[in-house]
Amino acid sequence: MSTPAAATTAAPFDDPLARERAHLASSRAALRAMREDVEALDISDVTANWVNAKALAHQIDERIKALADLSGTPLFFGRLDYLHAPGAEQAEGARGERFYIGRRHVHHAEGDPMVIDWRAPVSQPFYRASKKDPMDVGLRRRFGYTGGELTAYEDEHLSDPGEAARTSKLLQQEIERPRVGPMRDIVATIQPEQDEIVRSGLGGTVCVQGGPGTGKTAVGLHRVAYLLYAHRERLARTGTLVIGPNRSFLHYIEQVLPALGELSVQQATVDDLVAHVEVRGTDGAAAALVKGDARMAEVLRRALRSHVALPTEPVVVVRGSRRWRVPACELEEIVRELLDRDIRYGAAREALPQRIAHAVLVQMERSGEAPDDRVQDAVARNSAVKAAVKALWPAVDPAKLVLRLLTDAAFLAEHARGVLGEDEQKAVLWARPARSVRSAKWSAADAVLVDEAADLVRRTHSLGHVVLDEAQDLSPMQYRAVGRRCTTGSATVLGDLAQGTTPWATRSWSEALAHLGKSDAVVEELTAGFRVPTDVIAYASRLLPHIAPGLAPVASVRENPGFFDLRTVAETADVVAACAELLRNEGSTGLIAADARVPALAAALTAAGIGYLAPGEETTELTRLTLVPASLAKGLEYDYVVLDEPQAVVDGEPDERTGLRRLYVALTRAVSGLVVTHAAPLPPQLA
């Protein structure tokens, strides 16, 4: 392996770096030409109507955006020189091919590729080839960039037995590069174990357990990009969705997929998915635990089915001079058959008038008439049939159903009997009954119940693929809400059991996947840490025996050890001074503190003249400090972190175990260095 080459003044034909720069310039020109070709398309005479024209115009606009040449983003980051042409017979003397690997496909006017999409099969050896298994690759070249300018290259002669395998310096530099702004893609640094997950098929669900810094979020996003490449037509029809824990997190990751040319993936929180009612209230831990329990699904099912009544009177349909009578016993048989099928409440309600009409048609046929489908539809719309359906299978509003369960103790007791205990029923009942759905102070957990009820009435639309990040914090009922969005599709579930910070945090992935409806999912574990320095992750891992016994600690593979410092401070000004010290370094800085301490720290920063941002706001070269409440730190990362008062972070949670998990999250947000400041004693678990 060569050392990174620096720029020289040699002639292009003598200087490999100059030749690579020339190829980069040609590739950018080719990409610009591809974009101009699309912009020049005239569709005025192509479509037959305005609807098709509008749809085609939208597709063209999306294609133009996907072909954007992003400033400061390398168009390619690697090169593969094959010993033989991929897919060809490896005959003696056969000439290999050279491929440049980048974020998207680029070809010149004749159609020959200048840059190969990183997701193409021919690109796979860039991530997986090794000295042990070169995969027919003679040379793998990595490129180093400063901004958008190609500044270095590094070679690995994979098929040369005389060259020893060594760690790539450029790869390590890219992993450890300072972070300013939102999360970026890791397309140039995907590791073999990550690549296996990224390229796993669309048909199966994958659950990725990964500690801090193992790249699980990036793996999930890159898997979406890969699936859109490999199954574009199918996913264009069925849709894809990325679900994150909060808006700050989604804002942090929102540029990753567009940088890879994927603009159609929707992003949402679980709260966004279940927004049938306006959330204005909050729950205590006891109420939230019960409302989030999967047993609530059975309570809702019972309450909904209780609206169905068995008939006591016949239905008499008058058509002309004839009267057709469906006796109560036959109606009861129809109703019971629909109940036994256990189909959606709304679908059964729509089927009931047709079943009654069919019973009438049978009588007509027996009397010698020959009714057709139009007659059956007419009977189904008959006023007597409509009245019977309204009485036997009335329409139910999901929000009103949940509201009654949460405000009517007798109604709840009737349908929770044998499912919820008396104390649990008392926990979920509202202290003040609401007059209407609109005036009710719904909590986030209540909204999930409404979503469950809505699905019992009418099936939720299923997407082709869903990525669920920070999944360890979801309740069983939230898992069910997500699972409804991918019943006919697949999912990528990302999380870390040690970072669960809700009272209902996931205890095991098998349990969580069962609630999701994906019990057959494959669970993969990432244990190599690419982000958190060794000393930092080692210190944070002291908490693992207390928060996730048996979970393997992350092993940092960083060459740069970073730094870690414990400081006893006397006042808030000392915390501000630590922030000012870290801001002298290149990159971003996060000040993480217990939520209750954030206002005081904000005032101290302002008094010191240090500007700061809130989580989710994009850092700039001028403002590189973010003040982060510990409750919002999950999923975020900063080059340097000041963690204020660890014991206050623990005390800010309802119980010690949850507090220690929150502390574990806060301790593992640093990429290059961590300073822990404290006036109070540290939690004994860190001793």
Side-chain angles (χ1 to χ4, degrees):
M1 182 188 298
S2 67
T3 56
T8 70
T9 58
F13 292 105
D14 299 324
D15 181 6
L17 188 61
R19 291 198 297 271
E20 301 294 16
R21 285 173 171 167
H23 185 78
L24 176 61
S26 299
S27 300
R28 289 196 182 280
L31 179 62
R32 185 166 56 251
M34 291 170 61
R35 181 182 172 99
E36 290 170 351
D37 287 345
V38 179
E39 290 173 335
L41 289 174
D42 183 3
I43 62 171
S44 57
D45 297 326
V46 175
T47 57
N49 56 61
W50 69 270
V51 176
N52 290 341
K54 190 172 183 179
L56 183 57
H58 175 73
Q59 292 177 2
I60 291 174
D61 287 343
E62 292 296 295
R63 178 62 176 162
I64 291 172
K65 293 177 184 177
L67 290 173
D69 189 359
L70 304 176
S71 61
T73 301
L75 196 55
F76 56 80
F77 47 80
R79 193 183 98 188
L80 291 177
D81 291 4
Y82 277 86
L83 297 175
H84 307 85
E89 291 292 333
Q90 297 188 11
E92 183 178 353
R95 187 173 64 87
E97 292 189 60
R98 174 178 296 172
F99 298 97
Y100 287 83
I101 313 302
R103 286 168 171 77
R104 66 198 67 193
H105 174 86
V106 179
H107 59 261
H108 58 55
E110 288 73 31
D112 292 331
M114 301 191 72
V115 180
I116 300 292
D117 194 300
W118 66 276
R119 298 166 287 188
V122 75
S123 303
Q124 186 173 348
F126 183 78
Y127 302 106
R128 297 202 193 178
S130 64
K131 295 289 290 186
K132 185 176 181 180
D133 180 15
M135 301 176 70
D136 199 44
V137 172
L139 172 73
R140 173 167 55 198
R141 175 169 287 180
R142 300 182 188 274
F143 296 106
Y145 286 83
T146 301
E149 182 183 356
L150 198 162
T151 56
Y153 71 89
E154 183 181 66
D155 289 340
E156 295 174 82
H157 298 278
L158 297 175
S159 299
D160 183 357
E163 182 179 288
R166 288 186 288 174
T167 302
S168 166
K169 297 295 185 183
L170 286 180
L171 178 64
Q172 200 69 36
Q173 289 171 11
E174 176 63 21
I175 289 173
E176 298 177 3
R177 183 158 56 95
R179 286 147 168 77
V180 175
M183 180 181 179
R184 58 176 181 259
D185 66 73
I186 62 164
V187 68
T189 62
I190 295 173
Q191 299 301 293
E193 63 272 22
Q194 296 174 325
D195 189 63
E196 289 186 18
I197 298 172
V198 167
R199 295 177 191 266
S200 55
L202 177 61
T205 290
V206 177
C207 175
V208 182
Q209 158 64 39
T214 56
K216 56 185 178 294
T217 295
V219 165
L221 294 175
H222 286 69
R223 186 177 183 221
V224 172
Y226 172 77
L227 292 175
L228 286 168
Y229 174 87
H231 308 277
R232 189 167 301 280
E233 290 188 7
R234 177 177 172 183
L235 290 178
R237 295 192 307 270
T238 56
T240 52
L241 174 67
V242 174
I243 303 173
N246 52 57
R247 280 280 147 203
S248 297
F249 178 85
L250 291 178
H251 182 71
Y252 177 63
I253 68 171
E254 67 184 358
Q255 295 303 317
V256 174
L257 289 169
L260 300 173
E262 300 299 344
L263 309 173
S264 61
V265 180
Q266 299 298 311
Q267 296 184 350
T269 65
V270 173
D271 291 343
D272 295 331
L273 300 182
V274 300
H276 304 282
V277 293
E278 182 182 359
V279 174
R280 296 185 297 148
T282 56
D283 283 318
L289 272 171
V290 179
K291 291 178 182 179
D293 195 297
R295 292 175 295 163
M296 286 300 299
E298 174 61 19
V299 176
L300 287 166
R301 192 187 74 87
R302 291 181 181 182
L304 179 61
R305 288 167 67 94
S306 72
H307 289 78
V308 178
L310 294 178
T312 57
E313 297 180 353
V315 171
V316 179
V317 176
V318 178
R319 283 184 61 81
S321 60
R322 301 293 300 270
R323 294 164 62 87
W324 307 98
R325 182 176 179 275
V326 182
C329 61
E330 190 171 350
L331 289 174
E332 181 177 341
E333 188 176 324
I334 293 172
V335 170
R336 288 190 182 279
E337 191 269 335
L338 287 172
L339 284 171
D340 290 342
R341 289 184 60 192
D342 203 25
I343 59 177
R344 293 297 194 283
Y345 186 92
R349 188 173 190 275
E350 292 171 357
L352 181 57
Q354 289 291 334
R355 297 296 178 88
I356 297 174
H358 178 72
V360 172
L361 258 66
V362 170
Q363 295 183 28
M364 290 180 175
E365 291 171 347
R366 288 173 181 169
S367 68
E369 295 188 17
D372 56 18
D373 290 345
R374 290 174 296 175
V375 175
Q376 180 168 329
D377 290 339
V379 173
R381 295 193 300 269
N382 182 276
S383 59
V385 174
K386 287 183 176 180
V389 171
K390 185 177 181 180
L392 300 176
W393 212 292
V396 177
D397 179 87
K400 290 181 179 178
L401 174 70
V402 175
L403 183 62
R404 186 179 176 190
L405 272 175
L406 299 177
T407 57
D408 185 335
F411 187 66
L412 175 62
E414 178 184 355
H415 302 298
R417 186 177 298 112
V419 180
L420 301 179
E422 291 185 10
D423 290 342
E424 291 175 316
Q425 293 177 35
K426 290 178 182 178
V428 301
L429 281 170
W430 289 2
R432 296 181 179 178
R435 294 182 179 180
S436 66
V437 169
R438 183 166 295 182
S439 65
K441 288 191 175 182
W442 300 98
S443 70
D446 296 334
V448 178
L449 296 180
V450 175
D451 189 70
E452 178 84 26
D455 184 72
L456 289 170
V457 174
R458 195 160 307 278
R459 185 183 299 277
T460 304
H461 173 68
S462 176
L463 299 166
H465 192 77
V466 170
V467 174
L468 174 61
D469 206 351
E470 300 296 345
Q472 72 280 344
D473 274 339
L474 268 61
S475 70
M477 290 298 286
Q478 287 176 316
Y479 276 115
R480 290 175 62 89
V482 174
R484 287 192 281 278
R485 271 74 187 180
C486 55
T487 50
T488 59
S490 57
T492 301
V493 181
L494 312 166
D496 179 11
L497 296 177
Q499 295 187 58
T501 52
T502 55
W504 48 84
T506 301
R507 291 172 293 185
S508 73
W509 288 122
S510 59
E511 181 182 323
L513 293 167
H515 293 311
L516 192 70
K518 304 292 182 184
S519 297
D520 58 346
V522 176
V523 180
E524 303 281 0
E525 187 171 7
L526 296 175
T527 58
F530 302 98
R531 176 173 57 79
V532 186
T534 300
D535 289 349
V536 174
I537 195 63
Y539 185 71
S541 293
R542 295 181 183 185
L543 298 175
L544 283 180
H546 307 280
I547 61 177
L551 198 65
V554 172
S556 178
V557 297
R558 297 276 301 270
E559 286 196 350
N560 180 358
F563 73 87
F564 170 64
D565 192 13
L566 283 173
R567 297 182 187 177
T568 303
V569 297
E571 54 187 0
T572 305
D574 296 328
V575 180
V576 174
C579 294
E581 175 188 328
L582 294 182
L583 285 170
R584 299 189 189 105
N585 300 307
E586 183 183 3
S588 58
T589 298
L591 170 56
I592 303 177
D595 292 27
R597 288 184 53 80
V598 167
L601 291 170
L605 290 170
T606 301
I610 298 177
Y612 62 90
L613 304 167
E617 294 182 330
E618 188 170 329
T619 56
T620 65
E621 291 299 333
L622 295 177
T623 308
R624 294 182 289 114
L625 176 66
T626 303
L627 178 56
V628 188
S631 62
L632 296 179
K634 192 170 298 178
L636 305 179
E637 61 181 30
Y638 304 93
D639 286 292
Y640 300 92
V641 167
V642 176
L643 174 58
D644 169 71
E645 291 296 353
Q647 187 60 55
V649 173
V650 176
D651 293 341
E653 299 299 326
D655 60 83
E656 184 180 66
R657 184 170 183 175
T658 303
L660 290 174
R661 286 183 168 186
R662 183 77 71 189
L663 178 58
Y664 180 74
V665 172
L667 283 167
T668 54
R669 300 304 95 198
V671 175
S672 297
L674 170 67
V675 175
V676 177
T677 59
H678 65 101
L682 292 169
Q685 293 83 356
L686 287 176

